Amino acid sequence: MAVVRAKINVTGIVQGIGFRPFIYRTAVKNGLKGYVRNRGDAGVEILLEGKEDAVKNFLRDLKEKKPPLAQIHEVITKRLEGKNEHEKFAIYKSSKEAKLSGSVIPPDIAICNECLKELRDPNDPRYKYFFITCTNCGPRYTIIERLPYDRENTTMQDFPMCNFCQSEYTDPLNRRFHAQTVACPKCGPKVYLTTSKGELIASEDPVRKAGKLLSEGFIVAVKGYGGFHVATATTKDEPLVRLRKVKHRKQKPFAIMARSLEVIKRFAEVSLREAELLTSYTRPIMLLDKSNDYHLSDLIAPSLHNVGVMLPYTGLHYMLFDNVHEPAFVMTSANPPNQPIIKNDEEALQRLGDTVDYFLFHNRHIAHRCDDSVFRVHSENQVFIRRSRGYAPAPIVLKEKAKHCVVGLGGELNNTACLLLGNKAFVSQHIGDVENVETRDFLESATKHLIHLTNSKVEAVACDLHPKFTTTKLAHDLAEENGWQLVQVQHHYAHIAALIAEYGVKEMVGICCDGYGYGEDGEAWGGEILLCTHENFGFKRLAHLEKQPLIGGDLATRHPLRVAAGMLHKKVKIENWLLQNKRHFPHGEKEVQVILHQLEKERNVIETTSCGRVLDAVAAVLGVCYERTYEGEPAMKLEAVATKGKDVLRLEPRMKGNTLDTAQMLSEIFENREGHSKTDLACSTHMYIAKGLAALAIEKALENNVKNVGFSGGVACNEILTSTIRKIVEAYNLRFLVHTAIPPGDGGTSLGQAVAASFSQF
Ligand SMILES: [Zn+2]
Ligand SMILES: [Zn+2]
Ligand SMILES: [Zn+2]
């Protein structure tokens, strides 16, 4: 049998998930000699010496038996000349070499079952150790400072291993063999409780003590893997009232963390798919329908039919519940208004000191902040509301390879960055609303970190068409600084391009509905039917919702009665109705008079085709929501009301050429508002819009001989609209496509921008 030497380079997610121990075991099992080591480009390099058959078997095992969290993108095998020189197989010290690109370190991983068992075992050295982890679990992305993924390049460098941990770390048969996060009560990070001023509170068991304080109704800031959460009880109103007041959050729902799946089932409906996601190693927040037995405080998710719930994902989280009966705790990201989630202790003390009663700190610093991910399930389909912890920076593998390496910087709200390299899109963690210097800096550093992690050579930077967005300015700066091409991509085109890339289809008639996007004509768009093709930069706007006036511009976005007034004014007499509702305007009757005057003179009015604004207007007419205190609030509350309704009005969509009439629909709702229930009228609204959008899209798809109809934009998070449009579109034998790998909302536009820019010629 011939004896060979082979050098193998593996790219993908191959560091930080027990890959080298796996390679070691596989090589030894096959009687091979040589070494394995991590590389500075996040890849892994293997040298094998031995029989040809053994190498073949090794390569087969490599693909078939790889660790569950590994993602292999490419295996490059090269035969080497020369004599065999190794006497055994070994794990070598990492090399700094960084030539290959596209590998990346894994996302943070929730505590595994084996670690959880040890956490509960009084005979285990890591009994009650809040940061127990192994090669299969623990933080990754949030602790890494440099590549390769070795302990000294992570924030674990401050915690030298004790002899016991070291012995496990060096034992090839141990689950913690080369686990960079290995630690125990003796050598690992410590946890401690302080007052709101940072004064230490002596406690034998700070985590359980914090759990007790939470259940008693105190507010505690809890430091986790990727940032601080603000936590409190869920069964009492008082702390929630206080929390809403200090956080200036009137209505925005709080996410909660429940002690177990069984407990969740006592207050929410959980389908099989939802249970699967809740318990997966990514542990996202799931938006679950409240059940009839919902018994938590109504202040958690006011006037919504669903509530955001997650399960514990660290030992610390599990321990919070140990000595208390509370079914769940509020666990909301600690971020001051318009700021990224807090990750530094000093910043937490400074910014949260007035909000919280206690802090639960640990002494490991956070290298990269990362918010929780959020999902919703539409029948069987998962819909990302936010893609962050547990997912970033793992790539989304696309069907087609991009011709250029591009970074997309996204738009303004709920932003992310995306690095497109070949057929992989690396989307950053949730950045937030990029409107100030702090979030701009966060976006810039996350973008640079992605480029560094993947060792990419960027050719172009893509951004929104809006001339004044902070992200547009950042794109200009980066293009100039690095000599990159700059490509501006219209907002709704970016949404549909992302959908085209997710499915790898050649062409699509895309329905794109959201709150706002800067149109090619400079106007406010948001209810669009676009024709887009793969590999041709640009799109055709085939149809849209009727233009509606926004009285007072941005003010109308905040106060949906203004949108309703603008839409109704031409159809019905609204003066009395507005006066009846004057208390819902900040300046009362005076404001109503100004609005009526503006309507008459058509002054201070901009127009929009936004679907979000139409839903807002209906919410205001039905008295479901008069003030938007968070993004999407009126539309979300309208959906909550509609879920229990029947389509009583059965309105047929009215088209005016290529536009769907929305003013007539609103006036019908208005005229019927006393004769029917809110729930039924909200349902009829949804049916009208869904039927109208579907009809337009189907007509355009048939006209242009296109087989794919897509639905994107924030409105596509709405289950009633999505399922209704799907039914109609599929009845015409057309394929209906929605996002599954990225959010339909603006967190997905960075990917769409990068993909669209890669189609352009440069
Ligand atoms: Zn583990
Ligand atoms: Zn130790
Ligand atoms: Zn959008």
Side-chain angles (χ1 to χ4, degrees):
M1 177 69 63
V3 173
V4 295
R5 298 184 85 206
K7 175 74 106 26
I8 298 161
N9 277 301
V10 190
T11 67
I13 296 184
V14 288
Q15 294 189 8
I17 37 79
F19 199 72
R20 285 174 304 169
F22 157 73
I23 294 298
Y24 175 91
R25 288 190 296 268
T26 310
V28 172
K29 189 187 93 187
N30 286 297
L32 291 161
K33 289 162 183 154
Y35 67 82
V36 57
R37 67 178 170 193
N38 279 347
R39 291 168 52 95
D41 49 30
V44 162
E45 174 185 314
I46 307 160
L47 181 90
L48 296 177
E49 293 178 352
K51 295 192 180 130
E52 181 142 24
D53 266 8
V55 174
K56 258 192 209 148
N57 291 342
F58 174 93
L59 287 170
R60 192 200 51 221
D61 288 351
L62 176 67
K63 287 193 179 133
E64 289 175 3
K65 296 182 181 161
K66 66 178 168 62
L69 299 170
Q71 268 186 36
I72 294 179
H73 297 157
E74 208 177 3
V75 180
I76 309 156
T77 311
K78 212 169 111 192
R79 285 286 188 103
L80 297 183
E81 300 296 320
K83 276 201 297 218
N84 288 357
E85 54 196 31
H86 293 268
E87 292 186 347
K88 56 176 188 176
F89 195 87
I91 295 184
Y92 273 18
K93 203 171 163 335
S94 303
S95 88
K96 291 219 165 60
E97 202 177 350
K99 276 198 192 132
L100 303 167
S101 57
S103 290
V104 78
I105 47 128
D108 288 4
I109 306 153
I111 184 170
C112 71
N113 286 336
E114 280 167 290
C115 285
L116 196 53
K117 230 186 263 159
E118 289 167 353
L119 179 78
R120 302 301 193 203
D121 177 2
N123 297 316
D124 194 278
R126 295 189 188 83
Y127 176 50
K128 295 204 282 191
Y129 183 55
F130 73 104
F131 265 179
I132 183 170
T133 60
C134 68
T135 33
N136 302 321
C137 74
R140 299 289 185 272
Y141 180 66
T142 52
I143 59 165
I144 184 136
E145 291 177 318
R146 287 170 301 279
L147 284 170
Y149 176 67
D150 287 329
R151 193 165 175 118
E152 64 266 27
N153 292 336
T154 72
T155 56
M156 284 302 288
Q157 64 181 309
D158 301 333
F159 307 95
M161 277 179 266
C162 68
N163 288 341
F164 166 68
C165 288
Q166 181 76 32
S167 72
E168 293 203 329
Y169 183 87
T170 47
D171 174 5
L173 297 176
N174 194 286
R175 200 171 89 249
R176 296 197 172 85
F177 183 43
H178 278 265
Q180 307 303 344
T181 53
V182 67
C184 74
K186 220 195 246 170
C187 65
K190 307 272 185 285
V191 65
Y192 54 100
L193 193 66
T194 79
T195 64
S196 61
K197 297 200 170 57
E199 296 144 350
L200 194 70
I201 297 172
S203 168
E204 284 283 292
D205 198 347
V207 180
R208 290 189 174 91
K209 167 106 181 155
K212 196 113 188 92
L213 290 166
L214 286 173
S215 72
E216 284 163 13
F218 291 101
I219 301 173
V220 184
V222 180
K223 187 177 177 185
Y225 282 169
F228 280 82
H229 281 121
V230 174
T232 195
T234 52
T235 51
K236 299 174 180 64
D237 286 348
E238 185 274 330
L240 287 159
V241 172
R242 202 151 61 89
L243 190 57
R244 289 210 170 273
K245 208 165 159 193
V246 289
K247 278 205 84 177
H248 303 288
R249 256 165 92 158
K250 281 194 206 165
Q251 293 280 311
K252 194 175 180 183
F254 290 130
I256 63 175
M257 181 180 276
R259 66 162 64 230
S260 69
L261 188 58
E262 285 61 47
V263 165
I264 296 175
K265 288 176 181 166
R266 285 182 216 150
F267 61 80
E269 309 282 351
V270 188
S271 71
L272 272 177
R273 181 78 190 108
E274 285 161 343
E276 212 173 85
L277 281 161
L278 277 168
T279 53
S280 71
Y281 71 84
T282 60
R283 292 284 205 286
I285 295 168
M286 298 293 308
L287 297 185
L288 302 174
D289 288 355
K290 294 174 183 169
S291 69
N292 293 334
D293 303 324
Y294 182 82
H295 58 277
L296 308 182
S297 169
D298 281 330
L299 297 173
I300 292 169
S303 307
L304 295 177
H305 66 297
N306 51 24
V307 56
V309 193
M310 65 182 144
L311 285 169
Y313 55 88
T314 68
L316 182 144
H317 294 146
Y318 277 99
M319 287 165 67
L320 285 175
F321 288 100
D322 276 354
N323 291 349
V324 298
H325 295 294
E326 194 72 7
F329 294 130
V330 164
M331 276 284 169
T332 178
S333 303
N335 56 319
N338 307 316
Q339 300 285 324
I341 186 171
I342 295 173
K343 72 180 177 87
N344 298 324
D345 296 2
E346 305 74 49
E347 194 194 352
L349 280 168
Q350 204 182 56
R351 295 206 178 231
L352 300 174
D354 296 335
T355 307
V356 307
D357 303 309
Y358 298 95
F359 283 93
L360 186 64
F361 286 112
H362 60 72
N363 63 343
R364 180 173 70 203
H365 79 263
I366 296 169
H368 298 281
R369 50 168 73 85
C370 198
D371 286 82
D372 298 314
S373 293
V374 188
F375 269 113
R376 198 177 161 177
V377 170
H378 289 174
S379 56
E380 282 301 296
N381 301 320
Q382 62 177 56
V383 183
F384 268 112
I385 307 297
R386 177 194 291 166
R387 185 184 181 277
S388 201
R389 177 183 51 75
Y391 295 90
I396 294 150
V397 180
L398 306 174
K399 300 270 187 315
E400 304 274 341
K401 252 189 181 154
K403 281 184 291 203
H404 302 285
C405 177
V406 188
V407 285
L409 297 185
E412 188 164 55
L413 304 179
N414 282 314
N415 210 25
T416 58
C418 172
L419 176 89
L420 179 67
L421 177 69
N423 65 339
K424 281 165 211 90
F426 299 87
V427 181
S428 76
Q429 72 271 49
H430 169 74
I431 305 289
D433 301 346
V434 185
E435 293 169 320
N436 53 36
V437 65
E438 290 85 354
T439 37
R440 178 201 186 277
D441 289 352
F442 180 24
L443 176 67
E444 185 174 359
S445 73
T447 306
K448 288 185 170 164
H449 192 52
L450 273 182
I451 297 169
H452 165 75
L453 282 178
T454 54
N455 200 30
S456 300
K457 301 248 172 324
V458 174
E459 295 159 79
V461 54
C463 65
D464 197 82
L465 208 55
H466 199 298
K468 290 196 176 136
F469 276 177
T470 306
T471 48
T472 307
K473 287 183 199 145
L474 176 61
H476 276 276
D477 292 351
L478 288 175
E480 196 164 313
E481 210 177 283
N482 299 287
W484 297 339
Q485 288 283 334
L486 177 83
V487 185
Q488 289 188 268
V489 182
Q490 198 278 328
H491 182 82
H492 304 97
Y493 174 38
H495 274 300
I496 301 302
L499 201 47
I500 284 189
E502 239 188 282
Y503 287 92
V505 296
K506 293 281 167 238
E507 49 194 359
M508 178 182 287
V509 167
I511 306 168
C512 192
C513 291
D514 56 12
Y516 168 78
Y518 185 86
E520 269 187 325
D521 51 9
E523 290 193 5
W525 292 10
E528 315 301 315
I529 311 278
L530 308 180
L531 173 65
C532 305
T533 53
H534 181 81
E535 291 198 337
N536 285 315
F537 183 77
F539 64 94
K540 272 200 197 123
R541 186 192 196 197
L542 301 178
H544 51 79
L545 297 189
E546 185 184 6
K547 282 187 197 176
Q548 298 298 353
L550 289 178
I551 312 160
D554 273 351
L555 263 182
T557 305
R558 179 94 197 250
H559 302 284
L561 273 172
R562 285 174 169 265
V563 189
M567 287 177 70
L568 289 170
H569 147 82
K570 287 178 201 150
K571 306 269 178 189
V572 287
K573 284 229 169 312
I574 52 168
E575 189 171 342
N576 286 339
W577 175 68
L578 284 181
L579 287 169
Q580 277 159 21
N581 282 295
K582 64 186 180 201
R583 69 177 187 286
H584 298 301
F585 292 93
H587 304 287
E589 186 165 343
K590 212 162 106 201
E591 191 170 341
V592 172
Q593 297 302 351
V594 173
I595 290 170
L596 289 167
H597 182 73
Q598 282 173 340
L599 280 172
E600 194 117 320
K601 299 272 182 273
E602 293 187 9
R603 231 184 262 154
N604 193 16
V605 170
I606 58 163
E607 287 187 312
T608 181
T609 55
S610 166
C611 185
R613 295 298 88 80
V614 174
L615 294 167
D616 291 359
V618 178
V621 165
L622 296 181
V624 170
C625 182
Y626 294 111
E627 189 192 357
R628 190 184 86 145
T629 65
Y630 60 90
E631 206 207 344
E633 177 178 356
M636 281 160 69
K637 289 185 170 172
L638 187 70
E639 187 193 359
V641 170
T643 46
K644 298 212 163 69
K646 290 187 298 290
D647 183 7
V648 278
L649 298 187
R650 297 180 166 274
L651 303 170
E652 275 312 307
R654 276 176 37 139
M655 308 293 174
K656 298 180 193 158
N658 289 324
T659 63
L660 173 63
D661 185 331
T662 47
Q664 181 61 30
M665 176 208 70
L666 189 69
S667 66
E668 301 263 4
I669 299 288
F670 182 83
E671 304 282 13
N672 283 287
R673 71 191 188 285
E674 257 130 48
H676 293 286
S677 70
K678 276 181 200 182
T679 51
D680 288 349
L681 292 175
C683 177
S684 291
T685 303
H686 279 77
M687 290 305 135
Y688 179 90
I689 293 173
K691 283 198 263 180
L693 289 168
L696 279 175
I698 290 164
E699 179 192 308
K700 298 303 167 195
L702 297 177
E703 250 173 51
N704 291 280
N705 201 18
V706 174
K707 293 271 169 284
N708 306 299
V709 171
F711 187 26
S712 185
V715 175
C717 296
N718 182 305
E719 182 169 13
I720 306 173
L721 291 176
T722 306
S723 64
T724 310
I725 298 174
R726 174 188 294 278
K727 239 180 262 159
I728 305 170
V729 168
E730 287 179 348
Y732 277 80
N733 274 332
L734 297 164
R735 199 171 163 214
F736 183 67
L737 303 173
V738 291
H739 296 284
T740 57
I742 54 160
D746 290 355
T749 56
S750 61
L751 186 150
Q753 289 174 349
V755 167
S758 79
F759 298 160
S760 81
Q761 303 298 325
F762 58 81

